[in-house]
Amino acid sequence: MSKQYTTKPESFGEVTASVRSAGFKILLGFSLLILAVIAIKQPDNVYVASFFGLSWCSISAAGLTFPKYQELLAKLWAILTIPVAPYLVISNGLMPATLAPIATIFPILLLSNSWRVVAMVVLASCTFLVPFYDKPYDEALWLRLCLTNVVVSLIIYVLASQLEKALLESKKKSLELNRALESEKQASAAQSRFLATMSHEIRTPLNGILGLTDVVLSNEITEKVRPNLEKIQRSGLSLNRILNDVLDLSKLNAGKLALESIPFDLKRTAKDCVAFYAQLAENKAISLRISVDKKLNTSVVGDATRLSQILNNLVSNAIKFTHHGSVTLCLAKGESSNTHQFVRFSVKDTGEGINASEQDRVFDAFTQANSSINRKHGGTGLGLQIVKSLVEAMGGTVYLLSAQGEGSEFYFELPFEIAESPIDVLEQVNAPSFSNLSVLVAEDNDINQVVAKSLLEDLGLKVVLANNGKQAVELAHNQDFDLILMDLHMPEMNGSEAAFALRQANITIPIIAFTAAVVVEEIDKALASGMDGYLTKPVNRSELYATLTKYLGGDMSAKNSRIAKVEDTE
């Protein structure tokens, strides 16, 4: 049963107070009108009439000036009006009686309950007292006034009642909406805390699995053992990708995914994507190709990481559903100017294809074209939803052309700013060297300590370990380091606190957040504490190298990576 909300007493009071404030504003205007009429017409009892107008004017002005006394002032208005109004009609005849129909609105606006009813009845009845006026009057006009007063009073009462009812209903819905928004805010906060905790708890052991596997594979091992370790590595990377997909989907749904705007090379980004999946395509005897339009200016400004994520999802999907033939990634030039250009990306395969009736569903989260796909191929069904959301966030729309048994083509067009100068694309060859440089690693997890130490020492760095932030601060005060890698979650003193303490002590060593936390709020907090950047766990060797090169000035001509052999057509 759905929860029912009732309007609180204070909600009714707020509506009444709001209506009463409007009533005092109208009363002020009306009393000024009465005073103007008195000044022009000069009735017989001018002093009584003037007192009537002045008292209304004073009460309304006081009500607007002192809102908390409005209810008391409204009752004072009724006490003065109830005996004076009939007297004015008896002593002045038709002139005050003509204002009675308008005056009946004020009991509705200013009063409630029995006060409202009594004041309204008195004002509505004043017109019937005209015959008691001791001078001649127009009887026909008087009868019309009587009828008008009764009708107007009833209409005002009905309209005011409906208005109050509508306002109360609106207030009730507003309260329900506020409760729903507050519940959603709390749920979102709980989700963020859950994601932050689970991300950290999953990524920490995953960093150990992938890191140690990478370390072992980089050394001499028997060829009998290598295939099994490589399978462990691929499984770990697959798990890491699923975790990233869930986190990215959460960020996209919350509107918290920020896009970078940095120079990069489109061709290199596309080649790296294809190279990553070349071995997978080779294992399935599929031809994996890349085609880049020769007219395309490949030096652009944008978010290379998110573009890679889009292309990776589409290429891996294409390979998954293709059992013979080819998968082709194409980059083509679209409309362009001197400073901007549109680039058309497409991933075409000769795979199973998708029925027209199922094509609209493939971009939904946790959805695949039909239930048999998950049993046959696996997957979470998040990839294409993330592709769609990222493409739209970058200013494009993704489309699908497919037919059952005839393959599929996913394509989209994105706008890019053309980089002011060509991007230097550096090829990989040898392992980098950072000899005679030292790094302090603050990390409380012993497995992650081993991973970090092995990776950094492989790059020629001298490594000193700290088990918590407090120990890291002490070591940084007593020893010179070229870089600090600082975990965020540590006992005694966390990474953000340690970084802040170091900056307060005027220690300017570059500090990099070395963390399994990928929630934006945590990273922002780390950067605000004085850190210069961040690396996420599991550690990506190429990202680690790029960070070390940025802050330690390593030799960029010696970039370590394995690029698979792919077919390149231009």
Side-chain angles (χ1 to χ4, degrees):
M1 181 180 292
S2 62
K3 188 176 180 179
Q4 297 295 320
Y5 294 106
T6 58
T7 307
K8 295 181 179 180
E10 57 264 29
S11 300
F12 181 84
E14 290 174 9
V15 171
T16 303
S18 178
V19 173
R20 186 176 288 133
S21 293
F24 275 116
K25 291 177 183 178
I26 298 172
L27 179 63
L28 179 61
F30 185 67
S31 58
L32 292 173
L33 175 64
I34 290 175
L35 292 173
V37 171
I38 292 171
I40 295 171
K41 290 291 186 178
Q42 293 292 318
D44 294 337
N45 296 299
V46 66
Y47 296 110
V48 176
S50 297
F51 171 77
F52 192 76
L54 288 170
S55 63
W56 280 22
C57 187
S58 300
I59 290 171
S60 58
L64 295 173
T65 306
F66 306 103
K68 66 179 181 179
Y69 298 114
Q70 283 185 348
E71 184 177 0
L72 181 62
L73 290 167
K75 291 180 179 179
L76 176 61
W77 172 86
I79 292 171
L80 291 174
T81 302
I82 289 173
V84 175
Y87 173 76
L88 281 175
V89 173
I90 293 171
S91 60
N92 291 281
L94 280 176
M95 188 184 77
T98 57
L99 298 175
I102 302 175
T104 53
I105 192 173
F106 296 113
I108 298 294
L109 296 175
L110 300 178
L111 303 167
S112 58
N113 303 324
S114 58
W115 285 86
R116 171 186 290 178
V117 175
V118 171
M120 188 171 177
V121 169
V122 169
L123 288 174
S125 303
C126 284
T127 311
F128 294 99
L129 300 176
V130 172
F132 293 96
Y133 180 52
D134 58 1
K135 294 183 181 180
Y137 62 92
D138 188 332
E139 291 188 6
L141 177 60
W142 169 65
L143 291 172
R144 287 197 295 272
L145 278 175
C146 291
L147 179 62
T148 300
N149 200 4
V150 172
V151 172
V152 168
S153 298
L154 290 173
I155 291 174
I156 290 174
Y157 184 81
V158 171
L159 289 176
S161 299
Q162 292 299 315
L163 175 61
E164 281 189 341
K165 183 179 179 181
L167 288 172
L168 285 171
E169 187 66 26
S170 175
K171 187 70 177 179
K172 177 182 176 182
K173 290 180 179 179
S174 178
L175 288 171
E176 291 176 359
L177 179 60
N178 288 338
R179 290 190 186 99
L181 289 173
E182 184 62 30
S183 297
E184 184 178 352
K185 189 183 296 183
Q186 292 175 359
S188 178
Q191 182 188 48
S192 295
R193 289 194 298 270
F194 173 79
L195 288 173
T197 302
M198 294 307 298
S199 170
H200 185 270
E201 295 305 316
I202 294 173
R203 284 174 182 274
T204 297
L206 188 57
N207 179 61
I209 295 170
L210 290 175
L212 291 176
T213 304
D214 194 28
V215 170
V216 174
L217 286 171
S218 65
N219 296 315
E220 290 186 8
I221 56 175
T222 64
E223 291 307 311
K224 182 178 180 181
V225 174
R226 183 175 293 276
N228 290 331
L229 286 173
E230 288 177 342
K231 288 176 182 176
I232 293 173
Q233 187 181 50
R234 285 197 297 272
S235 296
L237 290 171
S238 177
L239 176 59
N240 189 44
R241 181 180 171 188
I242 292 171
L243 180 60
N244 287 337
D245 282 348
V246 172
L247 291 169
D248 284 342
L249 186 63
S250 174
K251 292 177 190 175
L252 285 163
N253 290 339
K256 294 183 177 180
L257 189 71
L259 297 175
E260 292 183 331
S261 185
I262 58 175
F264 72 99
D265 185 78
L266 284 170
K267 184 176 179 181
R268 171 51 54 196
T269 299
K271 277 190 171 184
D272 286 348
C273 169
V274 173
F276 185 80
Y277 292 101
Q279 187 61 53
L280 182 60
E282 187 178 325
N283 293 342
K284 296 185 71 174
I286 298 168
S287 175
L288 182 55
R289 306 178 182 135
I290 181 171
S291 175
V292 181
D293 189 345
K294 292 181 179 179
K295 297 179 181 179
L296 179 65
N297 189 333
T298 61
S299 297
V300 299
V301 177
D303 195 325
T305 302
R306 296 305 173 186
L307 177 61
S308 295
Q309 190 175 2
I310 294 168
L311 298 180
N312 284 340
N313 271 308
L314 292 177
V315 170
S316 64
N317 236 35
I319 294 173
K320 180 192 295 186
F321 296 105
T322 302
H323 307 294
H324 57 82
S326 64
V327 172
T328 305
L329 169 60
C330 295
L331 278 66
K333 183 178 181 180
E335 293 183 16
S336 64
S337 65
N338 293 332
T339 58
H340 292 77
Q341 67 177 348
F342 280 88
V343 182
R344 186 183 190 275
F345 300 86
S346 71
V347 176
K348 190 173 184 178
D349 64 65
T350 58
E352 301 172 4
I354 305 171
N355 284 329
S357 61
E358 298 170 339
Q359 290 180 16
D360 290 338
R361 299 174 59 244
V362 298
F363 292 107
D364 295 338
F366 305 104
T367 301
Q368 294 176 323
N370 58 67
S371 58
S372 65
I373 288 177
N374 186 268
R375 292 194 299 270
K376 185 177 179 181
H377 299 285
T380 61
L382 290 175
L384 290 179
Q385 165 65 18
I386 290 172
V387 166
K388 178 177 181 291
S389 299
L390 285 175
V391 168
E392 290 175 352
M394 296 173 74
T397 304
V398 62
Y399 299 97
L400 168 62
L401 292 176
S402 185
Q404 189 71 38
E406 298 181 11
S408 303
E409 180 183 9
F410 289 87
Y411 65 94
F412 57 94
E413 196 170 68
L414 294 178
F416 288 98
E417 180 185 349
I418 298 173
E420 293 183 0
S421 58
I423 308 300
D424 292 329
V425 181
L426 301 171
E427 298 296 336
Q428 80 294 339
V429 203
N430 304 311
S433 176
F434 297 95
S435 57
N436 301 319
L437 298 177
S438 62
V439 175
L440 172 62
V441 177
E443 170 65 67
D444 63 311
N445 185 283
D446 54 350
I447 295 177
N448 287 338
Q449 287 182 349
V450 173
V451 172
K453 193 170 189 294
S454 299
L455 289 173
L456 293 168
E457 287 182 344
D458 282 350
L459 298 174
L461 289 156
K462 297 175 183 178
V463 181
V464 176
L465 298 173
N467 293 313
N468 54 60
K470 184 177 180 181
Q471 188 177 355
V473 172
E474 293 172 356
L475 286 169
H477 275 94
N478 299 321
Q479 191 173 341
D480 292 332
F481 295 100
D482 298 289
L483 184 75
I484 299 176
L485 294 179
M486 186 83 73
D487 185 32
L488 294 185
H489 297 272
M490 293 184 292
E492 294 193 45
M493 180 183 284
N494 64 40
S496 297
E497 293 169 343
F500 183 75
L502 291 172
R503 295 304 186 225
Q504 289 291 99
N506 294 321
I507 294 176
T508 59
I509 305 167
I511 304 175
I512 307 301
F514 193 52
T515 177
V518 292
V519 177
V520 175
E521 289 79 4
E522 289 201 41
I523 293 173
D524 287 344
K525 182 180 178 182
L527 296 176
S529 70
M531 295 191 186
D532 299 277
Y534 67 93
L535 277 170
T536 57
K537 302 170 188 175
V539 182
N540 181 294
R541 186 183 285 266
S542 62
E543 289 180 2
L544 174 63
Y545 174 80
T547 300
L548 294 174
T549 300
K550 179 178 179 180
Y551 292 99
L552 299 179
D555 183 8
M556 280 298 289
S557 65
K559 183 178 178 182
N560 180 38
S561 62
R562 288 173 54 197
I563 303 297
K565 196 174 181 181
V566 299
E567 185 178 342
D568 186 0
T569 60
E570 293 189 274

